[in-house]
């Protein structure tokens, strides 16, 4: 492997890491900041991907599919929070695990009923479908670079929202002491509904944006769920920057693991998690 | 989560349903009479296939194919009507023993038909070998089923993992390629297909310069595509299926490799995905025991009947299910429906010549189809047949002592 290819692999690792961050960002918010264990995160990702596929087919435009799909998932998130999640904030985490595991099964069946069990591909928007040649026989899809850009933007926006705005301050306060925040006259119920809906919308948005590169298929949520939890745990619960750094670390480990030690590639990211947790049990960044 | 999961939930449900069912039957018939009825009356066929999860379409196609074969014979095999007992195996190897036992012990099936997932099939094999019940495997390709685990009562109507990629190895060499990279998921089927490709390709004088693996079921190919570009082999052979195949073929094109390094694969790579990959698969050559455009009398009749019955296009899995029905029919016709005369039944099935939509095939000594492997080319949205890559190819049945 010569130097040019090492550089390209670095780019691959970075790009994969940013994609991971996009998928994990919703979980960072809901699990990391709000403290809700949401195993159904992967299902929302899948719903987003299927929405992108079916809406893009109906509207004949990928951008329109996203513009219409995101509000739909916000409504879905608000409905779920009002109907189900808000009853569990005071209970043990185990109840949230049970509920969200049940939701995985429900959404998987609904997906089967509504959209069927076939594999689908979503076309990359024509404007972004080109590739940039890197070497004589390898080129890089522009759409992947666009996704990376989106991810960086999203990371910055999330950081700003949580650390720099009044809303973010209320969210952080609410997750550490719900009653006190309520006593101070803040409508914590409404706030939680909003933030949860945002988390659902982020997961679904990730599914939509990733659909053209990942294709759309049953059980796709299960595959991203575990890696999302790994991202949040390595990054440190509650830290957006931690999650971003962890995503990129995992992306690099996975990429070079596959190339250098193909036989053990399945283990490399989990090995990374073990090492990080031995070194810093609370994750790379503590809540700050 | 460990304390109460989906399985427990289903078990509770099944137990409740079972209680009410058993109560009803018990009230109407003494147990011994019910038993006697079953041996004199219908042939009890257990279908153990995936009806939920990723492999659902495959399970459905196999079921449809099998039932079509039975319907074409007036709903009877060897003069006896057929009664179905259905279990959804969820493609979950952990539940394979439990599900197999349900059909063998609770439902007392005469014949077991299943399944898609190789891990589940290996779980079934162990139990079936001991129980002695006739087992027809309509898909799962694990070499062991008709290899180390072979037995007189174990039959397969699909393929062994060895077969298609062995034929492929020869094809790739014949195209004049001297070096190749093989890429697949790191699991049993991938390993077996890789091994037989390498065996055939290197026997012909080629060289597999690198084996690339991806943890199952990951689909992030970018790093490995970069690796392929840096190795610059003459050809690439890949085994993925379903969603992973769609993504791999599209990524291969997006990385600019299509047209520079030709991509080959066993037919699973391009079957059932052509609608979704667009033009990214155009011109790809694959090998499989079935193809589009065979245009034989049998295939045309089968396709017509299948579309008429199910309003669906048949695929290779439907053919395999159909042939499972045909194989059983051939055996039962010879013994005149006497399912308890197992030795004669097995002998009759072994001798059967199956007139399949894929072409005529017979069984090897280890009970795997000896069949033509076709060379196909992606033209439009079809896996068009280009010829026979390997004539009457028999699996070597490594490790079969029966």
């Amino acid at each position: 492997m010569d130097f040019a290819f090492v550089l390209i692999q670095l780019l691959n690792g970075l790009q994969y890491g940013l994609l991971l961050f996009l998928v994990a960002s919703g979980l960072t918010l809901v699990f990391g900041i709000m403290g809700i264990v949401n195993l159904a995160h992967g299902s929302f990702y899948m719903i987003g991907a299927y929405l992108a596929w079916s809406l893009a087919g109906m509207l004949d435009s990928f951008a329109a599919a996203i513009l219409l799909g995101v509000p739909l998932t916000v409504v879905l998130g608000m409905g779920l929070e009002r109907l189900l999640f808000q009853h569990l904030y005071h209970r043990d985490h185990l109840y949230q695990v049970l509920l969200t595991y049940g939701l995985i099964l429900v959404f998987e069946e609904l997906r089967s009923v509504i959209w069927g069990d076939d594999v689908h591909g979503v076309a990359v928007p024509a404007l972004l479908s080109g590739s940039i040649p890197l070497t004589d026989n390898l080129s890089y899809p522009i759409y992947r670079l666009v996704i990376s850009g989106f991810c960086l933007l999203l990371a910055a926006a999330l950081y700003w929202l949580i650390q720099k705005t009044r809303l973010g301050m209320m969210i952080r306060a609410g997750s550490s002491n719900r009653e006190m925040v309520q006593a101070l006259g803040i409508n914590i119920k409404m706030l939680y509904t909003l933030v949860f809906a945002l988390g659902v919308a982020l997961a679904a948005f990730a599914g939509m944006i990733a659909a053209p590169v990942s294709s759309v298929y049953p059980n796709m949520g299960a595959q991203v769920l575990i890696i999302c939890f790994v991202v949040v745990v390595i990054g440190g619960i509650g830290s957006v920057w931690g999650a971003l750094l962890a995503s990129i670390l995992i992306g690099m480990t996975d990429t070079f693991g596959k190339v250098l030690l193909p036989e053990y590639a399945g283990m490399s990211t989990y090995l990374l998690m073990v090492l990080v947790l031995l070194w810093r049990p609370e994750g790379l960044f503590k809540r700050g | 989560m460990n304390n109460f999961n989906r399985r427990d939930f289903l078990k509770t449900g099944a137990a409740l349903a079972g209680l009410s069912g058993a109560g009803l039957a018990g009230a109407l018939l003494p147990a011994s009479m019910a038993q006697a009825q079953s041996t004199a009356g219908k042939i009890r066929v257990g279908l153990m296939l995936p009806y939920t999860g990723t492999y659902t379409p495959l399970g459905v196609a196999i079921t449809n194919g099998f039932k079509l074969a039975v319907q074409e014979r007036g709903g009877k095999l060897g003069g006896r009507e057929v009664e179905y007992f259905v279990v959804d195996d969820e493609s979950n190897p952990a539940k394979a023993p439990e599900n197999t036992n349900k059909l063998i012990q609770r439902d007392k099936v005469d014949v077991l038909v299943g399944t898609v997932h190789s891990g589940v099939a290996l779980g079934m094999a162990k139990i079936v070998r001991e129980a002695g019940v006739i087992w027809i495997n309509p898909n799962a390709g694990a070499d062991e089923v008709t290899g180390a685990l072979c037995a007189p009562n174990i039959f397969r109507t699909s393929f062994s993992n060895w077969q298609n990629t062995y034929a492929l190895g020869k094809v790739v060499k014949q195209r004049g390629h001297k070096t190749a990279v093989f890429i697949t998921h790191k699991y049993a089927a991938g390993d077996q297909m890789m091994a037989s490709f390498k065996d055939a390709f290197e026997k012909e004088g080629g060289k597999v310069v690198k084996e690339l693996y991806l943890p199952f079921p990951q689909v992030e190919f970018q790093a490995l595509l970069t690796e392929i570009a840096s190795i610059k082999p003459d050809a690439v052979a890949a085994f993925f299926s379903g969603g992973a195949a769609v993504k791999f073929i599209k990524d291969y094109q997006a990385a600019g490799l299509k047209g520079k390094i030709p991509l080959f694969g066993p037919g699973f790579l391009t079957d059932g995905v052509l609608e979704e990959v667009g033009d990214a698969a155009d011109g790809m050559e694959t090998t499989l025991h079935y193809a589009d455009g065979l245009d034989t009398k049998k295939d045309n009749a089968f396709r017509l009947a299948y579309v008429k019955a199910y309003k669906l296009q048949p695929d290779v899995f439907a053919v395999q299910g159909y042939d499972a029905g045909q194989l059983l029919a051939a055996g039962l016709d010879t013994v005149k429906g006497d399912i308890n005369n197992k030795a004669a039944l097995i002998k009759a099935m072994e001798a059967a010549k199956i007139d399949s939509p894929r072409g005529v095939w017979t069984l090897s000594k280890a009970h795997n189809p000896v069949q033509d492997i076709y060379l196909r080319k992606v033209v439009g949205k079809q896996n068009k047949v280009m010829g026979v890559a390997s004539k009457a190819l028999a699996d070597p049945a490594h490790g079969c002592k029966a």
Side-chain angles (χ1 to χ4, degrees):
Chain A
M1 199 162 52
D2 56 33
F3 186 64
F5 282 102
V6 174
L7 280 184
I8 297 171
Q9 293 293 20
L10 276 173
L11 177 66
N12 286 333
L14 182 70
Q15 189 268 328
Y16 179 48
L18 288 171
L19 187 66
L20 278 182
F21 176 77
L22 177 69
V23 181
S25 60
L27 194 72
T28 310
L29 195 67
V30 171
F31 174 59
I33 317 279
M34 287 170 80
I36 303 168
V37 181
N38 180 16
L39 296 183
H41 182 75
S43 301
F44 300 133
Y45 173 78
M46 176 189 75
I47 289 172
Y50 270 91
L51 270 178
W53 167 70
S54 63
L55 290 176
M58 272 186 252
L59 305 170
D60 219 21
S61 154
F62 187 62
I66 290 181
L67 286 179
L68 183 65
V70 170
L72 278 178
T73 55
V74 170
V75 173
L76 172 74
M78 292 175 89
L80 283 174
E81 203 272 347
R82 274 293 152 96
L83 279 173
L84 303 171
F85 282 87
Q86 65 159 318
H87 304 294
L88 297 179
Y89 293 142
H90 296 288
R91 304 271 191 99
D92 191 67
H93 275 323
L94 182 63
Y95 290 89
Q96 298 170 3
V97 169
L98 275 176
L99 172 69
T100 51
Y101 185 66
L103 284 178
I104 294 180
L105 302 182
V106 170
F107 284 132
E108 212 44 65
E109 279 307 310
L110 280 178
R111 186 265 310 142
S112 175
V113 171
I114 298 173
W115 287 303
D117 296 310
D118 292 334
V119 177
H120 301 288
V122 176
V124 175
L127 195 64
L128 307 172
S129 65
S131 292
I132 303 167
L134 293 182
T135 65
D136 57 336
N137 63 356
L138 186 71
S139 37
Y140 220 81
I142 292 173
Y143 187 73
R144 282 182 175 260
L145 300 175
V146 173
I147 294 182
S148 302
F150 258 116
C151 298
L152 286 173
L153 218 66
L154 202 76
L158 261 185
Y159 176 77
W160 175 77
L161 174 77
I162 289 161
Q163 300 297 338
K164 303 287 176 197
T165 64
R166 205 180 151 72
L167 182 68
M169 207 159 69
M170 292 192 283
I171 295 169
R172 281 180 287 141
S175 75
S176 53
N177 195 331
R178 213 177 133 87
E179 283 76 18
M180 184 58 79
V181 172
Q182 202 159 16
L184 289 171
I186 291 162
N187 187 350
I188 189 85
K189 262 181 92 172
M190 191 60 205
L191 186 68
Y192 261 49
T193 309
L194 275 178
V195 178
F196 186 81
L198 181 62
V200 171
L202 275 175
F205 178 69
M208 293 174 190
I209 288 282
V213 293
S214 79
S215 74
V216 179
Y217 53 98
N219 285 322
M220 62 189 292
Q223 289 186 30
V224 301
L225 178 67
I226 295 175
I227 200 81
C228 284
F229 272 96
V230 174
V231 165
V232 175
V233 169
I234 290 185
I237 301 208
S239 167
V240 175
W241 285 135
L244 181 63
L245 189 68
S247 300
I248 292 172
L249 258 180
I250 291 175
M252 293 293 176
T253 310
D254 187 78
T255 299
F256 283 95
K258 265 184 211 157
V259 176
L260 301 176
L261 290 168
E263 299 275 329
Y264 306 100
M267 274 164 36
S268 58
T269 47
Y270 303 103
L271 211 61
L272 174 73
M273 180 166 80
V274 170
L275 290 178
V276 169
L277 292 185
L278 280 176
W279 172 50
R280 290 180 77 103
E282 70 280 13
L284 291 175
F285 285 73
K286 269 213 276 203
R287 176 181 297 209
Chain B
M1 240 180 98
N2 280 328
N3 295 335
F4 193 82
N5 55 26
R6 186 180 184 194
R7 189 189 308 183
D8 293 330
F9 177 75
L10 289 175
K11 256 194 217 153
T12 320
L16 286 175
L19 271 179
S20 56
L24 206 70
L28 296 175
L29 287 171
S32 57
M33 250 179 90
Q35 194 65 33
Q37 280 272 320
S38 81
T39 48
K42 298 173 174 173
I43 302 277
R44 300 163 79 87
V45 174
L47 298 176
M48 180 166 155
L49 290 160
Y51 298 107
T52 53
T54 316
Y55 288 140
T56 307
L58 283 64
V60 171
I62 290 168
T63 308
N64 288 345
F66 189 90
K67 289 189 171 168
L68 183 64
V70 174
Q71 277 159 25
E72 282 180 357
R73 290 160 176 81
K76 287 182 178 178
L77 297 180
R80 288 169 64 183
E81 279 184 41
V82 175
E83 187 174 8
Y84 294 106
F85 297 84
V86 180
V87 164
D88 174 12
D89 70 27
E90 300 169 47
S91 295
N92 184 346
K95 290 189 199 171
E98 182 189 331
N99 286 328
T100 313
N101 277 324
K102 249 188 224 162
L103 286 167
I104 294 180
Q105 281 168 15
R106 185 191 66 193
D107 300 328
K108 306 249 180 299
V109 298
D110 301 311
V111 180
L112 189 62
V113 177
T115 187
V116 170
H117 188 285
S118 276
V120 179
L122 293 177
M124 294 171 79
K126 296 216 171 77
I127 294 170
V128 167
R129 277 164 69 92
E130 277 167 31
V133 65
I134 300 284
W135 174 34
I136 304 178
N137 171 358
N139 186 70
D143 289 342
E144 296 92 327
V145 172
T146 56
L149 291 172
C150 74
N153 57 323
I154 295 181
F155 294 85
R156 176 152 57 194
T157 60
S158 51
F159 58 91
S160 70
N161 286 336
W162 181 91
Q163 279 181 306
N164 288 305
T165 35
Y166 188 83
L168 183 69
K170 284 173 140 179
V171 167
V172 174
K173 187 69 202 15
Q174 278 159 14
R175 289 281 175 278
H177 303 304
K178 292 190 183 68
T179 57
V181 164
F182 198 97
I183 177 169
T184 182
H185 275 133
K186 181 82 194 147
Y187 68 145
D191 284 345
Q192 292 179 345
M193 294 204 199
M194 210 276 307
S196 78
F197 175 84
K198 189 172 172 173
D199 189 17
F201 188 61
E202 301 200 338
K203 225 182 251 171
E204 304 280 320
K207 174 96 187 119
V208 174
V209 284
K210 182 103 184 182
E211 299 157 13
L212 293 172
Y213 299 106
L214 203 70
F216 183 80
Q218 249 199 48
V219 288
E220 184 56 37
F221 300 112
Q222 211 59 37
L224 298 179
L225 292 173
T226 304
E227 183 76 354
I228 289 172
S230 88
I231 295 171
K232 297 191 176 75
D234 294 344
V236 173
F239 164 56
F240 297 105
S241 66
V246 172
K247 183 159 163 29
F248 182 77
I249 294 170
K250 285 170 89 171
D251 283 3
Y252 196 84
Q253 183 188 40
L257 290 169
K258 182 177 153 64
K260 304 227 171 73
I261 305 174
L263 176 61
F264 295 85
F268 311 106
L269 188 64
T270 55
D271 257 51
V273 304
L274 292 180
E275 285 297 326
E276 304 306 330
V277 295
D279 62 358
D282 276 355
M284 262 181 69
E285 289 184 306
T286 58
T287 51
L288 197 71
H289 52 289
Y290 191 55
D292 291 320
L294 288 178
D295 199 27
T296 57
K297 218 172 128 198
K298 180 72 188 176
D299 191 41
N300 291 344
F302 166 75
R303 289 196 171 216
L304 201 66
Y306 192 93
V307 172
K308 227 171 129 186
Y310 304 109
K311 314 275 174 279
L312 279 171
Q313 283 297 327
D315 53 15
V316 62
F317 306 106
V319 171
Q320 292 166 181
Y322 181 75
D323 286 354
Q326 293 212 94
L327 177 64
L328 183 61
L332 283 172
D333 283 347
T334 310
V335 299
K336 308 239 170 353
D338 184 7
I339 191 100
N340 291 327
N341 189 356
K342 237 175 233 169
L345 176 64
I346 287 173
K347 227 174 139 195
M349 285 168 75
E350 278 173 343
K353 220 170 157 182
I354 303 298
D355 184 17
S356 164
R358 71 184 102 157
V360 177
W361 57 267
T362 54
L363 283 171
S364 69
K365 234 179 123 219
H367 299 173
N368 191 64
V370 177
Q371 56 191 340
D372 294 349
I373 305 295
Y374 297 103
L375 173 65
R376 307 120 36 100
K377 190 173 189 169
V378 176
V379 180
K381 297 284 175 237
Q382 285 202 318
N383 286 296
K384 204 102 190 136
V385 63
M386 305 307 287
V388 176
S390 203
K391 187 97 192 133
L393 186 64
D395 181 271
H398 292 301
C400 174
K401 292 190 191 78

